[in-house]
Amino acid sequence: MPSRTPTEPTRSGRPRSAEADAAILEATRESLVDLGWSKLTMGDVATRAGVAKTTLYRRWAGKNELVVDAVAVLFDELELPDLGSLPADVEAVVLQFAALLERPETKTALMAVVAESTRDEALRDRIRDSIVARQKHLVLQGRERAQLRGELPSEPDAVVAARTADLIFDVIAGAVVHRTLVSAEPVDSDWARRFTMLLLSGLGAAAAGRQPGARGPGESRPTGAQKPGGSV
Amino acid sequence: MPSRTPTEPTRSGRPRSAEADAAILEATRESLVDLGWSKLTMGDVATRAGVAKTTLYRRWAGKNELVVDAVAVLFDELELPDLGSLPADVEAVVLQFAALLERPETKTALMAVVAESTRDEALRDRIRDSIVARQKHLVLQGRERAQLRGELPSEPDAVVAARTADLIFDVIAGAVVHRTLVSAEPVDSDWARRFTMLLLSGLGAAAAGRQPGARGPGESRPTGAQKPGGSV
């Protein structure tokens, strides 16, 4: 493959308009931080970006479309690190995703546009195309690496493999969104570790892993007792 | 324990007001179906319920609080069936939950109030108390039954057990919400079965279960070939 060198944008229209778009999306995120989704207006974004409202409407149908694009840029920053093992990679991406959801500009906006999209098919497709579908590559990449390391079996049936990737994506993204935004509890490294254990090994193993040796129902173990002595 | 017999509400105020509340919440759900969350107003709900707007404001601070209570009633209808095995019970509750999310009155409303709650602590607590915390009993009940059947190990450490139940709740609710509302794909019995397999046995098993016998990378199996002959 030929190596790609970064090309300087020298031609007319295109780069300038990409720059202008980026500035508008940046202004949208600022407005989300200050006002939240419900109070954000196209007028406020236009003022912050120093452009006419008509410029915004030429490019975006309304505030929901603008907000989806503004948030999608942040999702594009998610990266699957290569930490040498599947559990480490999953934990890292879970923490990254949680940190992204905790940002004030995504926190309200993501659920708000999803709520709006339930009554707006075009908006739903936009979310699917620019956020959901784009981030699936993280699952595919993680699986490929894990298969190369021998941590996961290969999946020769492409249809089944794609379906499993979709499932994994919904489970990871859904659990982190629900924990952070619905249960409104923090995703810290302990939660990320326990979630990853559950995802990779399943419920039986996750429950047993916390408590070596099965006990009969009704038997209790006093917390803190039976620690191996020695280190204090 | 003394057995409890249902007591007839004979005293003043209380039962009438409970009835009135139920009628108002029913009117709220109707309004959600017709108008969606963003167009719903306290005035519209008051008109549908045949009460004065002041009656609504005496009981609810605003439309978000009203909508949370109206939706919480539907969540209370979720039930864990006892189908004799943990996978069957999980699959059934996943399908029930997905059907609930597909109802027009919950579809928009749930994500909308969650979005609003990210900037409103009291609303967040209300969602947590009247929806999240109330539905956790499904996880506890499912786990208890599975432990009695010997499908899951007992968890004598109450703190750890509670943390695991929270995790499972976020994974189940989150995955179903994400699949239904964010990815906007249906939760059918095939998805419920594959999700349950992943939850109970983990990723390695879920991937391998789809494809008996590990194969080396690069080897492909033609779809539809190698079917056992005989039944047509």
Side-chain angles (χ1 to χ4, degrees), chain A residues 32-36 38 107-108 111-112 114-116 118-119 124 128 132 152-157 160 163 167-171 173-175 178-179 181-185 191 194-195 198-204 207-208 210-211 215-216 219-221 223, chain B residues 32-36 38 107-108 111-112 114-116 118-119 124 128 132 152-157 160 163 167-171 173-175 178-179 181-185 191 194-195 198-204 207-208 210-211 215-216 219-221 223:
Chain A
L32 281 171
V33 173
D34 290 347
L35 306 176
S38 50
K107 203 166 185 167
T108 320
M111 291 298 100
V114 166
E116 294 282 298
T118 59
R119 294 175 79 92
R124 201 180 61 195
R128 199 148 47 173
V132 180
L152 286 178
S154 67
E155 293 175 86
D157 186 326
V160 171
R163 229 165 37 191
L167 174 63
I168 293 163
F169 186 75
D170 283 323
V171 170
H178 201 274
R179 170 82 178 170
L181 302 181
V182 186
S183 299
E185 298 282 351
W191 189 90
R194 293 186 297 112
F195 167 74
L198 178 63
L199 178 71
L200 300 185
S201 308
L203 191 48
R210 320 260 88 223
Q211 165 249 16
R215 280 146 201 271
E219 288 177 56
S220 67
R221 180 183 56 178
T223 312
Chain B
L32 281 171
V33 173
D34 291 348
L35 305 177
S38 50
K107 206 167 182 164
T108 321
M111 291 298 101
V114 166
E116 294 281 298
T118 59
R119 293 175 79 91
R124 200 181 61 195
R128 197 147 51 170
V132 179
L152 285 179
S154 68
E155 291 176 87
D157 187 324
V160 171
R163 230 163 36 191
L167 174 64
I168 293 163
F169 186 76
D170 283 323
V171 170
H178 202 274
R179 170 80 179 173
L181 302 181
V182 186
S183 298
E185 297 283 351
W191 190 90
R194 292 185 299 114
F195 168 73
L198 178 63
L199 178 71
L200 300 185
S201 308
L203 191 49
R210 318 262 88 221
Q211 164 248 21
R215 281 148 199 271
E219 288 179 55
S220 67
R221 180 182 58 179
T223 311

Side-chain angles (χ1 to χ4, degrees), chain A residues 31-218:
Chain A
S31 186
L32 281 171
V33 173
D34 290 347
L35 306 176
W37 174 84
S38 50
K39 296 205 181 82
L40 179 145
T41 61
M42 295 292 263
D44 179 74
V45 173
T47 307
R48 285 172 197 264
V51 298
K53 251 170 82 173
T54 48
T55 308
L56 256 60
Y57 281 109
R58 215 173 294 136
R59 182 79 179 73
W60 291 276
K63 85 175 201 183
N64 287 326
E65 291 72 15
L66 186 59
V67 166
V68 169
D69 287 6
V71 166
V73 175
L74 300 178
F75 276 83
D76 281 346
E77 292 172 8
L78 292 175
E79 261 189 325
L80 191 76
D82 192 348
L83 298 173
S85 82
L86 181 58
D89 288 1
V90 173
E91 281 175 45
V93 89
V94 159
L95 289 171
Q96 262 183 55
F97 183 48
L100 171 59
L101 290 179
E102 285 293 354
R103 287 172 69 153
E105 59 270 48
T106 37
K107 203 166 185 167
T108 320
L110 187 67
M111 291 298 100
V113 291
V114 166
E116 294 282 298
S117 77
T118 59
R119 294 175 79 92
D120 179 340
E121 209 166 318
L123 185 63
R124 201 180 61 195
D125 291 346
R126 195 181 194 97
I127 293 173
R128 199 148 47 173
D129 293 348
S130 54
I131 300 181
V132 180
R134 286 179 69 85
Q135 299 319 317
K136 274 196 189 141
H137 77 94
L138 295 170
V139 172
L140 302 178
Q141 202 183 5
R143 176 167 65 188
E144 202 188 324
R145 283 196 200 143
Q147 286 171 342
L148 287 173
R149 292 187 200 114
E151 293 170 300
L152 286 178
S154 67
E155 293 175 86
D157 186 326
V159 176
V160 171
R163 229 165 37 191
T164 306
D166 285 355
L167 174 63
I168 293 163
F169 186 75
D170 283 323
V171 170
I172 297 178
V176 176
V177 166
H178 201 274
R179 170 82 178 170
T180 314
L181 302 181
V182 186
S183 299
E185 298 282 351
V187 166
D188 53 19
S189 55
D190 176 63
W191 189 90
R193 198 180 43 73
R194 293 186 297 112
F195 167 74
T196 303
M197 190 198 280
L198 178 63
L199 178 71
L200 300 185
S201 308
L203 191 48
R210 320 260 88 223
Q211 165 249 16
R215 280 146 201 271

Side-chain angles (χ1 to χ4, degrees), chain B residues 85-118:
Chain B
S85 82
L86 182 58
D89 288 0
V90 173
E91 279 175 47
V93 88
V94 158
L95 289 171
Q96 262 184 53
F97 183 47
L100 170 59
L101 290 179
E102 286 292 355
R103 288 171 69 153
E105 60 270 48
T106 37
K107 206 167 182 164
T108 321
L110 187 67
M111 291 298 101
V113 291
V114 166
E116 294 281 298
S117 77
T118 59

Side-chain angles (χ1 to χ4, degrees), chain B residues 15-67:
Chain B
R16 284 213 69 117
S17 115
E19 252 173 54
D21 280 6
I24 290 166
L25 296 179
E26 172 69 35
T28 307
R29 289 191 294 272
E30 280 173 29
S31 186
L32 281 171
V33 173
D34 291 348
L35 305 177
W37 173 84
S38 50
K39 295 206 182 79
L40 179 145
T41 61
M42 295 292 264
D44 179 75
V45 173
T47 307
R48 285 173 197 264
V51 298
K53 250 170 82 171
T54 48
T55 308
L56 256 60
Y57 280 110
R58 215 173 296 135
R59 183 79 179 71
W60 290 277
K63 86 175 201 182
N64 287 325
E65 291 73 15
L66 187 59
V67 165

